[in-house]
Amino acid sequence: MTSQIQTIAKAIDWLVTQDNAPSLNDIAARYDYDPAHFQKLFKSHVGVSPKQFTQYMHYKRARDLLLDGYSTLDAAYAAGLSGQGRLHDLFLSIEGMSPGSIKDRGQNITITYGFADTFMGELMVAKTDKGICWLGFQVDESRDVSMKRMYDYWPLADFVEGDVSHEISAIDHIWRGDSKQLKLDLYGTNMQIQVWQALLKIPFGA
């Protein structure tokens, strides 16, 4: 007999392959469940409803297409959405910024970055005028991977190598368990922001 966890795992695998969002009734019927019971079961294991999970899948697909240069209309259709309005609603509810902001990320922003040796290896720190916006480490003893990821995440920013010694010193203090405050320039989904806020409330050493 298939366990509940196996059923949810199969449902996730199936949902990821769907171009259009199936209804709760269709998903539940596929696995011989009552819709209300399947909704409760799915949410208890995954943390979100099947509808929310599907929205995140569409969002990620659309976001990747926008960063690859697709227009908002083409990205919406390719992600299985009905149009630009639906894409806009999805981004505002999940990312907290408009599709145009994603595509134009970094426009009119100067990002200063620098490197320093730490007890965890060479660290790259990047910052805007609002605070730290990126951390990276060497991959295979090279800076190239971390630099490329930063460039891809902020495609239109102006990058300047400069002094980030204050930020690196503050990070080093935090790693060593000393109390130190950092200013962060964060971009993430509403869920990610909530998780980060919760993590920041954990006492040192806990």
Side-chain angles (χ1 to χ4, degrees):
M1 182 177 179
T2 303
S3 70
Q4 291 181 344
I5 293 177
Q6 288 174 320
T7 298
I8 297 302
K10 289 179 179 178
I12 290 173
D13 289 341
W14 182 69
L15 286 171
V16 168
T17 66
Q18 301 306 297
D19 292 330
N20 297 310
S23 69
L24 175 61
N25 288 341
D26 289 341
I27 303 171
R30 180 179 177 85
Y31 300 99
D32 298 321
Y33 273 86
D34 170 77
H37 181 60
F38 184 83
Q39 167 110 334
K40 183 178 180 180
L41 182 66
F42 191 96
K43 192 167 185 178
S44 69
H45 285 290
V46 183
V48 295
S49 69
K51 180 179 179 181
Q52 290 172 318
F53 180 83
T54 303
Q55 285 179 330
Y56 281 117
M57 292 300 100
H58 286 310
Y59 151 77
K60 184 180 184 304
R61 192 175 304 164
R63 184 181 182 280
D64 290 344
L65 291 170
L66 287 169
L67 292 176
D68 282 341
Y70 279 62
S71 70
T72 54
L73 182 61
D74 289 341
Y77 288 143
L81 302 172
S82 58
Q84 288 173 298
R86 184 71 188 90
L87 179 64
H88 188 270
D89 292 342
L90 184 63
F91 268 75
L92 289 182
S93 64
I94 295 180
E95 179 78 14
M97 61 181 70
S98 71
S101 297
I102 293 293
K103 188 175 180 181
D104 298 336
R105 175 170 283 169
Q107 191 170 38
N108 301 320
I109 292 177
T110 297
I111 294 178
T112 302
Y113 67 93
F115 303 88
D117 289 325
T118 73
F119 72 95
M120 292 185 68
E122 186 183 69
L123 173 68
M124 181 183 78
V125 177
K127 63 180 180 179
T128 68
D129 58 358
K130 294 180 181 179
I132 293 175
C133 65
W134 193 264
L135 295 178
F137 289 91
Q138 286 191 10
V139 177
D140 296 330
E141 300 184 359
S142 171
R143 298 174 176 176
D144 294 345
V145 173
S146 186
M147 292 290 290
K148 182 179 185 304
R149 288 174 179 169
M150 181 176 67
Y151 291 151
D152 289 345
Y153 197 79
W154 303 90
L156 299 183
D158 293 322
F159 291 94
V160 178
E161 187 168 1
D163 182 18
V164 292
S165 57
H166 174 75
E167 288 76 17
I168 288 174
S169 175
I171 291 170
D172 186 64
H173 276 283
I174 290 173
W175 281 346
R176 296 180 187 277
D178 301 329
S179 179
K180 199 79 173 180
Q181 285 192 336
L182 285 175
K183 290 185 177 180
L184 305 177
D185 190 357
L186 296 178
Y187 288 81
T189 67
N190 294 336
M191 179 180 290
Q192 286 173 325
I193 295 293
Q194 290 173 9
V195 170
W196 294 334
Q197 288 173 338
L199 290 173
L200 287 171
K201 294 178 182 177
I202 299 174
F204 283 106

